Structure formats: C-alpha cells, structure tokens
C-alpha cells in the first residue's frame, strides 16, 4: 500500500513542480529578476530530486521496482513535500 501511495504522491509532486517552474519562468520573462531566475533553478533542482526518487523511474537507473522496508517513511516525506508544494503553488498564484 505504501508503495502505491509513494508512487502517486511523487508523480503529484512532479506535476506541481512542473507547474511551479512554468510560473516562475513566466515571472522571470516578465521581470528579468535574479530572484525569479533563482526560483526557476530551485524548482528544477527539486524536480530532478522528485524524478530520481520516483519508483516508476527506477528501471531507468538499473534498479528493480519493488517495495522497500522503509518505503512508508519515503511515502510520508513525499506527502509532506506535496503539501508544501501545494501551499507554495497557492501563494504563487495569489
């Protein structure tokens, strides 16, 4: 069960990060601010982290897909990250 939750939430994190990177990029194009560019870079780094930690991408890196004994903790961390990204998206859109 934790494995499916982890996959779903991590994919949700990837989607939220793509939306945030798009919004940050639009802001950078309009304002040409170093801060906005920093947000784009920050978002890209988080996106890379989310992709590398998503179990559906493990076969690309030569790792088998299967449950891990501590995956419940990874799933919990992914849920908290999803909540944080949701709050960030809400604040950026406001």
């Amino acid at each position: 069960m934790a494995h499916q939750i982890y996959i779903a939430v991590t994919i949700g994190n990837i989607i939220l990060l793509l939306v945030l990177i798009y919004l940050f990029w639009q802001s950078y194009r309009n304002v040409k601010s170093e801060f906005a560019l920093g947000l784009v870079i920050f978002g890209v780094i988080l996106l890379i982290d989310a992709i590398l930690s998503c179990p559906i991408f493990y076969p690309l890196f030569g790792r088998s897909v299967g449950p891990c004994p501590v995956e419940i903790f990874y799933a919990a961390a992914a849920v908290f990250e999803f909540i944080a990204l949701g709050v960030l998206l809400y604040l950026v859109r406001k």
Side-chain angles (χ1 to χ4, degrees):
M1 178 73 170
H3 187 71
Q4 290 83 9
I5 292 171
Y6 183 43
I7 290 172
V9 174
T10 305
I11 291 172
N13 288 343
I14 290 170
I15 292 168
L16 286 176
L17 283 165
L18 288 170
V19 171
L20 282 167
I21 290 168
Y22 173 78
L23 293 173
F24 293 155
W25 182 253
Q26 293 298 327
S27 175
Y28 174 71
R29 283 183 43 207
N30 292 336
V31 180
K32 301 287 187 205
S33 162
E34 288 182 10
F35 180 74
L37 182 59
L39 289 174
V40 171
I41 294 168
F42 179 75
V44 169
I45 291 169
L46 284 179
L47 179 63
I48 292 169
D49 174 61
I51 290 171
L52 292 177
S53 67
C54 186
I56 63 169
F57 295 115
Y58 287 174
L60 297 174
F61 308 113
R63 182 167 181 238
S64 63
V65 176
C68 167
V70 294
E71 198 159 46
I72 187 71
F73 298 110
Y74 293 147
V79 168
F80 284 113
E81 183 180 348
F82 184 83
I83 292 168
L85 291 171
V87 169
L88 182 60
L89 181 61
Y90 171 77
L91 293 173
V92 167
R93 297 289 300 163
K94 196 170 181 184

